[in-house]
Amino acid sequence: DEGAGITEIPVIFKPKTISPQELEFDLIDSNNGRNLTTYETAIVVKRLMNLGITEEELLAKKRFSPPQLQLLITLASAPPRLAELVASGQASAKVAVELIRKHGPVAPQRMALEMVERAKNAGHKQLTVRNLPQAAFKKALKKAAPRLHEATSAVTSDPGYSGLAKETRALLESVLGELKRPEAA
């Protein structure tokens, strides 16, 4: 009547006996429209837990993997500004959770805002794991790993190897042992 332009309101008729938990599960299970984003799913998981559903029940009923459920629970408890960055698509859920796990609940908001700005300046649409400060180091480490393996193997065959400290030799042998098992398989 006041000109809002609302022509229809979607309604789903449910029996009176349906529980609030079942309605929340239906948000995930029976959503015929656009799929829920990771953040929206995290909010539904939080509401289910507030209604008394345990993590074990969520794992059994929804078939979330344990790591996925932990990601959703952590994301649902994200500080408001960080949650807003994820909800708006400026930061990925994985980055938000990684920041919370690494730096606690307060610092990630400020850090994420700075990193979102840097990601935008670098021409990226969204802050992702590749924009995190340690991402370049991890990428370089993966690239250098084969050469590091060769160098470590060469050190063990060097005549001066026996002159290394016992702890250093034990560390090198442990690392090489871990790599030899999969290599042999």
mmCIF file of all heavy atoms in Angstrom, residues 152 161 165-178:
data_model
loop_
_atom_site.group_PDB
_atom_site.id
_atom_site.type_symbol
_atom_site.label_atom_id
_atom_site.label_comp_id
_atom_site.label_asym_id
_atom_site.label_seq_id
_atom_site.Cartn_x
_atom_site.Cartn_y
_atom_site.Cartn_z
ATOM 1 N N THR A 152 70.549 -32.545 1.164
ATOM 2 C CA THR A 152 70.585 -33.283 2.428
ATOM 3 C C THR A 152 71.174 -34.671 2.212
ATOM 4 O O THR A 152 71.977 -35.143 3.019
ATOM 5 C CB THR A 152 69.164 -33.390 3.026
ATOM 6 O OG1 THR A 152 68.596 -32.089 3.101
ATOM 7 C CG2 THR A 152 69.187 -33.991 4.399
ATOM 8 N N TYR A 161 80.587 -35.738 7.331
ATOM 9 C CA TYR A 161 79.294 -35.977 7.971
ATOM 10 C C TYR A 161 79.464 -36.519 9.385
ATOM 11 O O TYR A 161 78.742 -36.119 10.306
ATOM 12 C CB TYR A 161 78.468 -36.949 7.117
ATOM 13 C CG TYR A 161 77.114 -37.287 7.696
ATOM 14 C CD1 TYR A 161 76.099 -36.347 7.721
ATOM 15 C CD2 TYR A 161 76.850 -38.560 8.207
ATOM 16 C CE1 TYR A 161 74.852 -36.642 8.245
ATOM 17 C CE2 TYR A 161 75.606 -38.870 8.728
ATOM 18 C CZ TYR A 161 74.620 -37.915 8.753
ATOM 19 O OH TYR A 161 73.384 -38.221 9.281
ATOM 20 N N ALA A 165 77.511 -32.729 14.755
ATOM 21 C CA ALA A 165 76.977 -33.050 16.078
ATOM 22 C C ALA A 165 75.978 -34.201 15.960
ATOM 23 O O ALA A 165 75.292 -34.345 14.938
ATOM 24 C CB ALA A 165 76.298 -31.820 16.674
ATOM 25 N N LYS A 166 75.892 -35.004 17.012
ATOM 26 C CA LYS A 166 75.018 -36.172 17.024
ATOM 27 C C LYS A 166 73.557 -35.767 16.770
ATOM 28 O O LYS A 166 72.846 -36.435 16.026
ATOM 29 C CB LYS A 166 75.154 -36.890 18.357
ATOM 30 C CG LYS A 166 74.437 -38.199 18.445
ATOM 31 C CD LYS A 166 74.699 -38.885 19.776
ATOM 32 C CE LYS A 166 74.023 -40.232 19.816
ATOM 33 N NZ LYS A 166 74.276 -40.926 21.083
ATOM 34 N N GLU A 167 73.122 -34.658 17.363
ATOM 35 C CA GLU A 167 71.744 -34.190 17.205
ATOM 36 C C GLU A 167 71.469 -33.779 15.752
ATOM 37 O O GLU A 167 70.393 -34.047 15.216
ATOM 38 C CB GLU A 167 71.457 -32.989 18.124
ATOM 39 C CG GLU A 167 71.560 -33.302 19.606
ATOM 40 C CD GLU A 167 73.004 -33.269 20.124
ATOM 41 O OE1 GLU A 167 73.859 -32.588 19.512
ATOM 42 O OE2 GLU A 167 73.280 -33.945 21.115
ATOM 43 N N THR A 168 72.449 -33.145 15.112
ATOM 44 C CA THR A 168 72.290 -32.712 13.724
ATOM 45 C C THR A 168 72.174 -33.922 12.806
ATOM 46 O O THR A 168 71.328 -33.958 11.913
ATOM 47 C CB THR A 168 73.472 -31.821 13.292
ATOM 48 O OG1 THR A 168 73.581 -30.730 14.206
ATOM 49 C CG2 THR A 168 73.296 -31.298 11.877
ATOM 50 N N ARG A 169 73.039 -34.930 13.033
ATOM 51 C CA ARG A 169 72.966 -36.153 12.226
ATOM 52 C C ARG A 169 71.628 -36.852 12.435
ATOM 53 O O ARG A 169 71.000 -37.313 11.476
ATOM 54 C CB ARG A 169 74.127 -37.097 12.576
ATOM 55 C CG ARG A 169 75.472 -36.634 12.055
ATOM 56 C CD ARG A 169 76.541 -37.726 12.121
ATOM 57 N NE ARG A 169 76.545 -38.481 13.355
ATOM 58 C CZ ARG A 169 77.352 -38.264 14.405
ATOM 59 N NH1 ARG A 169 78.246 -37.297 14.340
ATOM 60 N NH2 ARG A 169 77.288 -39.009 15.489
ATOM 61 N N ALA A 170 71.146 -36.903 13.669
ATOM 62 C CA ALA A 170 69.863 -37.552 13.969
ATOM 63 C C ALA A 170 68.721 -36.818 13.256
ATOM 64 O O ALA A 170 67.815 -37.458 12.705
ATOM 65 C CB ALA A 170 69.625 -37.584 15.473
ATOM 66 N N LEU A 171 68.777 -35.497 13.255
ATOM 67 C CA LEU A 171 67.744 -34.715 12.567
ATOM 68 C C LEU A 171 67.757 -34.986 11.072
ATOM 69 O O LEU A 171 66.703 -35.236 10.462
ATOM 70 C CB LEU A 171 67.961 -33.221 12.841
ATOM 71 C CG LEU A 171 66.999 -32.263 12.145
ATOM 72 C CD1 LEU A 171 65.573 -32.501 12.594
ATOM 73 C CD2 LEU A 171 67.405 -30.824 12.400
ATOM 74 N N LEU A 172 68.938 -34.966 10.451
ATOM 75 C CA LEU A 172 69.039 -35.230 9.014
ATOM 76 C C LEU A 172 68.551 -36.638 8.672
ATOM 77 O O LEU A 172 67.827 -36.839 7.703
ATOM 78 C CB LEU A 172 70.483 -35.042 8.542
ATOM 79 C CG LEU A 172 70.983 -33.603 8.452
ATOM 80 C CD1 LEU A 172 72.486 -33.574 8.194
ATOM 81 C CD2 LEU A 172 70.243 -32.848 7.372
ATOM 82 N N GLU A 173 68.952 -37.615 9.473
ATOM 83 C CA GLU A 173 68.542 -38.997 9.219
ATOM 84 C C GLU A 173 67.035 -39.171 9.399
ATOM 85 O O GLU A 173 66.392 -39.915 8.655
ATOM 86 C CB GLU A 173 69.326 -39.951 10.126
ATOM 87 C CG GLU A 173 70.793 -40.041 9.722
ATOM 88 C CD GLU A 173 71.692 -40.678 10.784
ATOM 89 O OE1 GLU A 173 71.167 -41.143 11.819
ATOM 90 O OE2 GLU A 173 72.915 -40.672 10.577
ATOM 91 N N SER A 174 66.465 -38.471 10.367
ATOM 92 C CA SER A 174 65.018 -38.536 10.589
ATOM 93 C C SER A 174 64.262 -37.980 9.388
ATOM 94 O O SER A 174 63.303 -38.597 8.898
ATOM 95 C CB SER A 174 64.658 -37.745 11.847
ATOM 96 O OG SER A 174 63.277 -37.579 11.953
ATOM 97 N N VAL A 175 64.701 -36.814 8.901
ATOM 98 C CA VAL A 175 64.043 -36.188 7.746
ATOM 99 C C VAL A 175 64.168 -37.079 6.519
ATOM 100 O O VAL A 175 63.188 -37.312 5.797
ATOM 101 C CB VAL A 175 64.626 -34.785 7.473
ATOM 102 C CG1 VAL A 175 64.148 -34.243 6.147
ATOM 103 C CG2 VAL A 175 64.266 -33.834 8.602
ATOM 104 N N LEU A 176 65.356 -37.579 6.266
ATOM 105 C CA LEU A 176 65.555 -38.449 5.101
ATOM 106 C C LEU A 176 64.769 -39.749 5.233
ATOM 107 O O LEU A 176 64.251 -40.262 4.242
ATOM 108 C CB LEU A 176 67.047 -38.727 4.902
ATOM 109 C CG LEU A 176 67.859 -37.547 4.371
ATOM 110 C CD1 LEU A 176 69.351 -37.864 4.380
ATOM 111 C CD2 LEU A 176 67.406 -37.170 2.970
ATOM 112 N N GLY A 177 64.656 -40.280 6.461
ATOM 113 C CA GLY A 177 63.875 -41.492 6.692
ATOM 114 C C GLY A 177 62.402 -41.286 6.353
ATOM 115 O O GLY A 177 61.758 -42.156 5.767
ATOM 116 N N GLU A 178 61.873 -40.115 6.720
ATOM 117 C CA GLU A 178 60.475 -39.795 6.417
ATOM 118 C C GLU A 178 60.247 -39.729 4.909
ATOM 119 O O GLU A 178 59.182 -40.091 4.422
ATOM 120 C CB GLU A 178 60.094 -38.458 7.033
ATOM 121 C CG GLU A 178 59.939 -38.480 8.526
ATOM 122 C CD GLU A 178 59.646 -37.104 9.112
ATOM 123 O OE1 GLU A 178 59.029 -36.269 8.405
ATOM 124 O OE2 GLU A 178 60.024 -36.858 10.258
#
